[in-house]
Amino acid sequence: MGNFILGRLLQAVLTLFVVSLFIFLLVRLTGDPKQVLLPIEASIEQYAQLEKALGLDDPLPEQYVRWVGKMLVGDFGTSSSRQIAVSQLLRERFPNTLMLAGSGFFLAIAVGLPLGVLSAAHRGRGTDVSARVFAILGQSMPSFWLGIMLLMLFPVRLGVLPAGGKSGWTSIILPAVTLGWFSTASLLRLTRSTMMETLSSDYVKLARIKGLSERTVIWKHAFKNAALPVLTLASLLLFGLITGTIIAETVFAWPGMGSLVLSAVVNRDFVVVQALVIVISAMYIFGNLTVDILYAFLNPRIRYG
Amino acid sequence: MAEIAAPRGADWVEPPAGSPAVPSRRWWLRRPPIIPTLPMIMIGIIFFAAIFASVIAPFSPTKNHLFDSFTAPWGWEGGSSTYILGTDFLGRDIFSRIIHGARISLTIAGLVILIGASVGTLVGIVAGYFGGLLDSILMRIADLVLGIPLILVAIVLVTVTGASVGNIIFIVSAFVWPRYARIIRSETLSLREQDFVMLARVAGISSRRIMLRHILPNVVSTLIVLCTLQVGQVVLLESALSFLGVGIPPPKPSWGIMVADGRTNLTSGWWISLTPGLAIVVLVVSFNLVGDWLRDRLDPRLQRY
């Protein structure tokens, strides 16, 4: 187990290294980094200042180590469009993104799992058919379009629920649904297929023969065993949630890190873009690591695979 | 596609009730099954529209009719039969833009899958056939790429180098190939141990020829299923990137951009994002349904993907 964790940890660090190297080299090799890092209207003094701060004349490895070193101690530079430290922006935005991603995740678990189980238990009947339609739609609807349609229906047409921003607990409903539907759908489909496999196994038959109630058979005996493969989906869910927060935040002007990245792209505020990309990537990569370790912990076969 | 006979090997899974396993005589009297007939017809229509876009579309997709901007769809108040689906804020005909958008979406999806599937299959077969160190290195690279959140890489790349069709094809292909590599590798691993490959090796056939003539033909059905299932995902990813402004550069009529155009004019033109989004949904649902159906027929073990 120790070796497995160590190996996966090394791989996570390596992945983060590749991402940071990609960003670093992209800025320095595709032209003048000063032009990328500074806004168009920057003064000559700002150019000189930046050149000194980055040490652009030093060899590339030295520059890279300095850049990473600064980020490790929490110095991400200063936003050129907002004139405040990026680390402060991060502190403001991070909890909001976490809250939104958490709600999306909660929605997926709270709706996807039980619907998947019910769908398998009532195979071919009304519940199953409607759950599958719900899932197919969820996997095929672009979330940005879903968000806009919700926006048009609720705040614009019906005048209920806030249209954007963060104000009171109702403002999270629409972004969370936009974000969570896709993950809910994937979770539902996987739960359904693993449940169906489990329900046709011998020990479930035995439990039925013993005369246990259908509810006990499904939830106590079958569901517990079907839940493990569902964990494999967690990393995919994570990907959907990361990509999804960027979109949901943009559509609903939710003040999180995703909408910050996009507005920084529009303002050509590259310092903010690169800092956020590194931070979100790190979250994603270490989230994946946690899922892998958790899965290996629960399923010993993986560790020696 | 319907002529491809399902392999009846050891892993043959009885098709769910309702799908005819044995074609009865007098097939012309039977009602064709809704799935996959209906989605296949939809895919046919979309392909037809994409190929003959310049003939079918009544207007040029980029021509502005500023006097007719915000015309509602035909049948609604203020609508006219000139612009069946209405016009956007520049007076561009939405129907023509959707048809040309189909061309763009399908071209990009086709190219991405061609590149991703070729690279992934090559890597997967080579890694699985030779094994050892080469296998470890190639699979670590694939895992590494899968661990990178590509939407963020797309954002950085586009901020630095600007939006272009080349960029989006590169980014999305990079996202796609490791999936092929992983699955094809595991198929190759089991094929390698089979007698016909062993015998070919004993007969002195070169490794290259074995991979090309003996292994590749045996993974074709898996490839067909994977490619079909990937179309929807690639279209969703491309439209999401275009929606965020880091995909296809405007004024090209991408469905993602069209939905984004409608977002800023929600109160004055609800139809602007509605129909392009529906086009995405129809395309993705159709490919997903056909993909699921093909998977059940050709490769039931692929369940999890």
Side-chain angles (χ1 to χ4, degrees):
Chain A
M1 190 70 187
N3 275 342
F4 173 81
I5 295 180
L6 195 70
R8 287 293 293 110
L9 189 69
L10 274 178
Q11 196 178 342
V13 172
L14 187 67
T15 311
L16 199 55
F17 169 73
V18 169
V19 172
S20 65
L21 199 64
F22 174 77
I23 297 172
F24 177 81
L25 291 179
L26 193 67
V27 175
R28 275 155 189 82
L29 298 183
T30 52
D32 187 357
K34 283 171 290 186
Q35 271 175 10
V36 176
L37 290 169
L38 285 175
I40 301 163
E41 67 278 3
S43 62
I44 298 174
E45 289 87 69
Q46 274 178 302
Y47 272 99
Q49 213 181 351
L50 182 79
E51 188 152 7
K52 221 176 108 192
L54 292 179
L56 288 175
D57 294 330
D58 296 336
L60 282 178
E62 205 180 315
Q63 286 184 43
Y64 176 77
V65 170
R66 194 173 329 125
W67 180 59
V68 172
K70 273 187 174 173
M71 283 195 296
L72 284 178
V73 295
D75 177 7
F76 291 97
T78 311
S79 156
S80 64
S81 60
R82 290 163 200 259
Q83 303 300 337
I84 47 173
V86 176
S87 52
Q88 199 194 328
L89 271 176
L90 277 175
R91 258 198 300 279
E92 285 168 17
R93 299 295 187 109
F94 180 74
N96 292 341
T97 295
L98 208 61
M99 195 169 135
L100 182 57
S103 321
F105 189 68
F106 174 76
L107 197 73
I109 303 279
V111 178
L113 274 183
L115 267 186
V117 173
L118 286 180
S119 181
H122 300 273
R123 186 175 170 183
R125 279 187 268 166
T127 328
D128 182 28
V129 173
S130 32
R132 280 164 72 190
V133 170
F134 171 85
I136 287 171
L137 270 183
Q139 288 194 314
S140 314
M141 265 189 307
S143 60
F144 55 89
W145 180 74
L146 170 66
I148 289 174
M149 291 301 115
L150 289 174
L151 205 58
M152 214 150 69
L153 185 64
F154 292 102
V156 177
R157 286 274 141 148
L158 302 173
V160 291
L161 298 175
K166 186 176 173 247
S167 55
W169 66 273
T170 48
S171 59
I172 203 171
I173 297 178
L174 293 183
V177 170
T178 305
L179 174 64
W181 198 332
F182 180 84
S183 312
T184 312
S186 326
L187 198 58
L188 196 162
R189 290 192 69 174
L190 189 65
T191 315
R192 180 177 182 271
S193 71
T194 55
M195 265 307 273
M196 292 216 294
E197 246 169 68
T198 325
L199 280 176
S200 58
S201 66
D202 287 343
Y203 77 89
V204 169
K205 270 179 209 150
L206 179 71
R208 281 192 174 132
I209 292 169
K210 269 181 6 189
L212 296 177
S213 74
E214 193 61 17
R215 177 179 294 191
T216 320
V217 171
I218 288 173
W219 292 101
K220 273 210 150 159
H221 294 249
F223 178 64
K224 271 191 185 167
N225 279 285
L228 189 64
V230 169
L231 249 183
T232 46
L233 195 72
S235 68
L236 215 70
L237 276 187
L238 202 67
F239 178 82
L241 288 174
I242 295 275
T243 316
T245 42
I246 296 179
I247 287 165
E249 286 180 9
T250 312
V251 171
F252 292 98
W254 181 260
M257 298 198 289
S259 57
L260 184 63
V261 173
L262 261 296
S263 69
V265 168
V266 174
N267 296 329
R268 300 205 44 83
D269 191 346
F270 193 78
V271 180
V272 174
V273 176
Q274 86 182 3
L276 279 164
V277 168
I278 295 276
V279 170
I280 302 176
S281 301
M283 276 169 61
Y284 174 68
I285 291 165
F286 285 98
N288 249 340
L289 177 71
T290 319
V291 169
D292 277 1
I293 292 175
L294 195 69
Y295 188 61
F297 188 71
L298 294 172
N299 187 3
R301 272 171 299 180
I302 295 288
R303 279 176 245 163
Y304 310 103
Chain B
M1 288 297 170
E3 302 87 53
I4 298 172
R8 306 279 170 99
D11 54 336
W12 166 250
V13 171
E14 203 54 43
S19 59
V22 186
S24 68
R25 266 176 291 171
R26 287 197 288 175
W27 52 270
W28 59 89
L29 288 181
R30 279 192 299 113
R31 191 167 53 93
I34 295 176
I35 294 170
T37 315
L38 194 63
M40 277 185 179
I41 292 174
M42 290 317 299
I43 292 172
I45 292 175
I46 295 170
F47 263 96
F48 184 81
I51 292 166
F52 299 103
S54 29
V55 185
I56 301 169
F59 297 98
S60 152
T62 47
K63 183 156 193 309
N64 305 342
H65 312 265
L66 289 173
F67 289 113
D68 294 331
S69 61
F70 292 118
T71 306
W74 188 31
W76 265 268
E77 201 189 331
S80 77
S81 58
T82 324
Y83 310 106
I84 301 172
L85 296 178
T87 61
D88 64 5
F89 63 108
L90 290 174
R92 293 174 295 196
D93 181 38
I94 291 178
F95 180 59
S96 308
R97 282 175 72 74
I98 289 182
I99 289 175
H100 280 271
R103 182 181 271 188
I104 290 185
S105 281
L106 287 178
T107 312
I108 292 202
L111 281 173
V112 162
I113 289 176
L114 187 71
I115 299 172
S118 312
V119 175
T121 309
L122 182 72
V123 170
I125 290 184
V126 167
Y129 183 78
F130 289 112
L133 186 65
L134 185 66
D135 178 31
S136 305
I137 294 175
L138 288 174
M139 284 304 112
R140 284 295 84 79
I141 295 176
D143 284 348
L144 196 138
V145 174
L146 279 179
I148 298 175
L150 271 131
I151 198 163
L152 294 167
V153 176
I155 288 174
V156 180
L157 190 67
V158 168
T159 336
V160 176
T161 62
S164 72
V165 176
N167 268 347
I168 189 166
I169 291 177
F170 169 73
I171 287 281
V172 185
S173 313
F175 171 75
V176 159
W177 77 264
R179 282 153 213 279
Y180 286 90
R182 272 185 162 182
I183 295 166
I184 297 299
R185 170 181 171 269
S186 72
E187 296 269 298
T188 311
L189 279 179
S190 62
L191 285 171
R192 191 179 62 170
E193 305 303 326
Q194 287 186 18
D195 291 343
F196 69 94
V197 176
M198 295 287 188
L199 287 174
R201 218 180 286 175
V202 171
I205 296 172
S206 72
S207 297
R208 209 179 81 177
R209 199 174 158 84
I210 293 179
M211 287 190 276
L212 211 63
R213 287 293 173 85
H214 297 268
I215 292 184
L216 187 62
N218 278 296
V219 298
V220 165
S221 65
T222 307
L223 268 178
I224 291 172
V225 175
L226 269 182
C227 290
T228 320
L229 284 173
Q230 285 274 323
V231 174
Q233 298 205 12
V234 170
V235 168
L236 280 182
L237 197 59
E238 173 264 309
S239 62
L241 291 173
S242 301
F243 172 81
L244 293 174
V246 295
I248 294 168
K252 280 206 168 66
S254 153
W255 290 342
I257 296 178
M258 294 174 70
V259 175
D261 285 342
R263 183 182 157 232
T264 37
N265 306 298
L266 271 189
T267 40
S268 40
W270 52 266
W271 56 88
I272 298 174
S273 15
L274 180 76
T275 36
L278 277 180
I280 302 176
V281 176
V282 169
L283 180 64
V284 177
V285 167
S286 305
F287 270 103
N288 282 350
L289 288 175
V290 172
D292 283 348
W293 176 82
L294 274 176
R295 181 193 55 201
D296 293 344
R297 298 232 133 190
L298 298 178
D299 213 337
R301 278 168 307 155
L302 274 174
Q303 267 299 329
R304 297 287 141 75
Y305 303 94

